Amino acid sequence: MTNRCTETLRLRPDAGACDTHIHFFAAGVKRAKSAQKPLPPPCGRSEYTKVQEALGLSRAILVQPTHYGQDNSVQLGAVAQFDGNARMVAVVSPDVSDAQLHDLHQRGVRGLRYFLLDGGAVTRDGLVQTAQRIAPLGWHIEIQVNGRELPDLVSTLCALPCDVVIAHIGRFLPPVKVTHHAFRTLLTLVDAGAWVKISAPYVNSRSGGPDFEDVAAEARALIAHAPGRMLWASNWPHTNDVPAPSETHLLNLLLDWCNEDPETYNRILCANPAQLYGF
């Protein structure tokens, strides 16, 4: 099943709430050679609509999954199905042409993904040059990397001429204390203007569900430090994670991590993504 909204939502978001990290999969599209995970079953707009309705969301960000490498066709096709209420984060090679970038912008792309764990389709090579090329378009760079490596990246990321988004609560593997040097580096990035997706605690956690207490401490600290730089995402359809989490539980966790504050909760869900993705 791709809809696991099995828990009562405690606070329905305001209008314009956005899920900033989802993936769609289609039958007949081949897995990239660089990918390390098997392709999930096909799932797309009709299945995700049920999740959106259960969570009270109206906007979404399609993020190119590692499974498809640099073939962005599935996500690009999906963006067009949202009637202006979706944007996309793509994966391209460093030699992408200016004409291709402008075409992607017209089709809803607003950022480029650098998945720097095993299975990514691009490397750090060319990151700075690519960031310089997309800055005039108002795009951002989204990074997924083991957060423990952020001290080695911080000078490069702070110098980029575009917005930077850090995926999945920093993706610390394993999770760290909020006093850890690498976590303090993440806060430094946030202070320099980076955004952080409060998403997918289950992929980092070692303490496990339902509350993922080791990652929850990181999420709480980030939200308390800079609520205006946080984003939320379901990471639907939770590729290759068994058992997959309840989406309503994940959104209820956000409310917990916001200390039950509706203003912070809705800022993260509505105003922040509207600013970054240009809704």
Side-chain angles (χ1 to χ4, degrees):
M1 291 180 61
T2 50
N3 178 7
R4 290 163 292 266
C5 298
T6 56
E7 185 176 305
T8 300
L9 191 64
R10 300 209 317 270
L11 180 61
R12 200 163 182 85
D14 288 347
C18 183
D19 186 344
T20 67
H21 200 105
I22 64 172
H23 311 293
F24 284 178
F25 297 91
V29 182
K30 294 183 179 180
R31 188 179 73 144
K33 291 182 179 179
S34 59
Q36 295 197 346
K37 293 182 178 181
L39 281 170
C43 57
R45 183 69 174 109
S46 60
E47 293 90 352
Y48 183 67
T49 295
K50 299 173 184 177
V51 177
Q52 277 195 306
E53 291 174 349
L55 299 182
L57 307 174
S58 58
R59 295 169 174 167
I61 308 302
L62 280 292
V63 177
Q64 175 70 352
T66 59
H67 307 70
Y68 289 146
Q70 296 179 33
D71 178 0
N72 294 285
S73 59
V74 175
Q75 314 310 310
L76 285 170
V79 169
Q81 300 173 23
F82 281 79
D83 299 322
N85 286 314
R87 304 285 186 265
M88 182 184 162
V89 179
V91 174
V92 300
S93 65
D95 61 357
V96 63
S97 70
D98 289 340
Q100 288 172 315
L101 290 176
H102 283 279
D103 177 66
L104 289 171
H105 186 83
Q106 293 300 315
R107 299 176 70 181
V109 173
R110 293 298 181 268
L112 296 179
R113 187 187 197 197
Y114 281 77
F115 185 92
L116 301 181
L117 301 168
D118 292 342
V122 293
T123 68
R124 288 173 56 183
D125 295 341
L127 170 61
V128 174
Q129 293 79 5
T130 300
Q132 291 169 343
R133 295 178 62 200
I134 67 171
L137 294 170
W139 290 14
H140 63 272
I141 294 289
E142 177 172 327
I143 298 285
Q144 187 167 166
V145 64
N146 185 340
R148 290 170 177 264
E149 299 177 14
L150 286 175
D152 296 329
L153 284 169
V154 62
S155 59
T156 297
L157 296 180
C158 284
L160 294 181
C162 61
D163 278 314
V164 172
V165 177
I166 308 296
H168 299 340
I169 319 177
R171 198 72 158 92
F172 293 96
L173 297 168
V176 296
K177 301 291 185 182
V178 297
T179 54
H180 191 282
H181 173 58
F183 189 81
R184 306 311 295 180
T185 300
L186 178 56
L187 295 184
T188 297
L189 281 166
V190 171
D191 289 341
W195 303 81
V196 179
K197 289 186 178 180
I198 303 299
S199 56
Y202 51 87
V203 301
N204 306 340
S205 180
R206 296 298 181 270
S207 61
D211 295 332
F212 313 105
E213 290 295 345
D214 48 358
V215 179
E218 299 169 349
R220 288 180 185 274
L222 283 162
I223 293 169
H225 184 78
R229 307 307 292 180
M230 300 298 119
L231 308 161
W232 180 84
S234 68
N235 198 39
W236 186 90
H238 322 287
T239 55
N240 307 114
D241 292 293
V242 180
S246 158
E247 288 85 16
T248 40
H249 180 66
L250 293 174
L251 192 48
N252 283 337
L253 283 178
L254 175 66
L255 185 60
D256 289 340
W257 298 341
C258 292
N259 291 321
E260 307 284 337
D261 177 34
E263 182 177 351
T264 300
Y265 175 78
N266 280 299
R267 183 177 187 179
I268 292 170
L269 289 168
C270 305
N272 291 353
Q275 177 183 342
L276 175 64
Y277 297 105
F279 287 111

